[in-house]
Amino acid sequence: MAKERQKIIRTRIGEREITEEGIIYFSRGLIGFDDKRDFALIQLSEDSPFLLLQSLEDPGLGLLVADPYSFMDDYEVRLNEAEKRILRVENVRQLAVLVTVTIPPGRPTETTLNLGGPIVINSEARRGMQIPQVDSKYPTHFRPAND
């Protein structure tokens, strides 16, 4: 059995060890960070619904993300054919959907999820893309605690 190659990266929460298989490539970067292409998903703790989407190129760039289905059942993300090609989608089971999370300092009850700009990751191809949901009913500041 081949040993996975390990890599130590610096993050906003300290050094973390990742495997090369854990690197996700965003060909277009993320909105506002289009020059950052390589990211890793880091579990914050075993019982937390939140992950850190950490840039490998900028240790100061780490976005708090979460699975939106942990907070709501009826969330739908639409991908067009070009986006499916970029993500190398063969079937929907390859895809994970994440949304960015904002927790105001000292006010966790005001946490919001950005449902208008989900991040879709093909976990098999290790390709990711932030896909704005234009013409959707989903807000960019959804409060899961109040809705």
Side-chain angles (χ1 to χ4, degrees):
M1 183 164 118
K3 183 177 179 181
E4 293 183 8
R5 298 172 78 184
Q6 303 288 314
K7 181 176 184 172
I8 303 292
I9 62 169
R10 292 184 310 141
T11 75
R12 293 173 49 188
I13 56 173
E15 289 187 347
R16 293 291 190 265
E17 187 174 284
I18 63 169
T19 64
E20 287 191 17
E21 289 74 26
I23 298 172
I24 304 162
Y25 180 70
F26 288 75
S27 63
R28 297 181 180 172
L30 295 171
I31 295 172
F33 306 102
D34 55 350
D35 62 330
K36 309 298 186 235
R37 305 296 168 93
D38 293 319
F39 288 82
L41 274 173
I42 298 171
Q43 182 76 43
L44 295 177
S45 69
E46 285 187 31
D47 58 346
S48 173
F50 305 117
L51 302 163
L52 184 67
L53 184 61
Q54 176 65 50
S55 168
L56 302 187
E57 296 139 324
D58 181 353
L61 176 58
L63 302 174
L64 193 61
V65 296
D67 176 346
Y69 303 105
S70 296
F71 302 95
M72 59 191 308
D73 295 328
D74 62 343
Y75 180 55
E76 182 179 340
V77 175
R78 286 180 272 161
L79 284 74
N80 63 35
E81 290 304 316
E83 292 161 342
K84 290 177 184 175
R85 278 193 303 276
I86 291 170
L87 289 169
R88 299 180 182 173
V89 176
E90 295 173 6
N91 66 67
V92 294
R93 289 184 297 241
Q94 298 172 306
L95 300 178
V97 176
L98 300 169
V99 294
T100 55
V101 178
T102 301
I103 304 175
R107 301 187 323 256
T109 59
E110 296 179 23
T111 296
T112 60
L113 308 176
N114 178 355
L115 300 179
I119 295 167
V120 179
I121 295 172
N122 179 335
S123 55
E124 291 181 21
R126 300 185 328 226
R127 298 279 174 161
M129 177 179 269
Q130 189 168 19
I131 303 174
Q133 299 294 290
V134 293
D135 302 328
S136 80
K137 62 183 178 185
Y138 302 114
T140 56
H141 293 88
F142 172 77
R143 284 191 180 177
N146 297 331
D147 292 319

